[in-house]
Amino acid sequence: MSAGGFDPFRPPMIGSRIWEETMTAAEWCCECTGQCGRPHAKTKGRCGTVHGTAHRLTVVASDPLATLADAVTSTERLALCESCDTGRRRVAQHTRATTAADAAQPELFDLPGDRAA
Ligand SMILES: [Zn+2]
Ligand SMILES: [Zn+2]
């Protein structure tokens, strides 16, 4: 694989058409609305990092645990800046680990929810 044609603005694993469609739909802004674990309160709840030389957005599957290869076939995609993509993966992995722990020890988390009804 030659690196000669590599364009850092266009990740080679996602087709340029998919990439451009997703970026256009996102208006070239990071689409994170808190998935990364940060509230983005200063920018009205959306990250809003604009694609450019300082911050390059990536196109990823909306499922944070999907691989980049999955993103190619997925119909749900997001344009995210690197810090949000990293953050949402961390959050998703943490959530998955916590959910697995809950499932393993249900008695510890068996809250009397019926009482509130
Ligand atoms: Zn972002
Ligand atoms: Zn974010």
Side-chain angles (χ1 to χ4, degrees):
M1 197 162 133
S2 165
F6 179 70
D7 177 353
F9 284 87
R10 198 161 288 183
M13 284 186 72
I14 297 218
S16 57
R17 190 178 62 82
I18 290 173
W19 190 88
E20 203 163 315
E21 272 176 16
T22 309
M23 293 299 264
T24 304
E27 297 177 322
W28 305 85
C29 276
C30 177
E31 292 188 286
C32 175
T33 49
Q35 295 96 318
C36 67
R38 287 175 295 170
H40 296 305
K42 279 187 211 162
T43 44
K44 296 180 184 166
R46 174 172 164 173
C47 173
T49 293
V50 178
H51 183 66
T53 49
H55 300 281
R56 291 196 299 263
L57 303 189
T58 53
V59 171
V60 293
S62 61
D63 176 357
L65 298 175
T67 63
L68 188 56
D70 289 335
V72 178
T73 52
S74 172
T75 52
E76 302 274 314
R77 291 185 207 89
L78 291 171
L80 291 178
C81 71
E82 198 181 324
S83 63
C84 287
D85 187 37
T86 306
R88 77 183 188 128
R89 281 173 196 278
R90 199 183 308 129
V91 168
Q93 276 161 7
H94 177 76
T95 304
R96 187 167 65 170
T98 307
T99 306
D102 286 357
Q105 296 177 306
E107 70 275 11
L108 293 179
F109 297 90
D110 191 12
L111 301 174
D114 287 349
R115 230 188 274 164

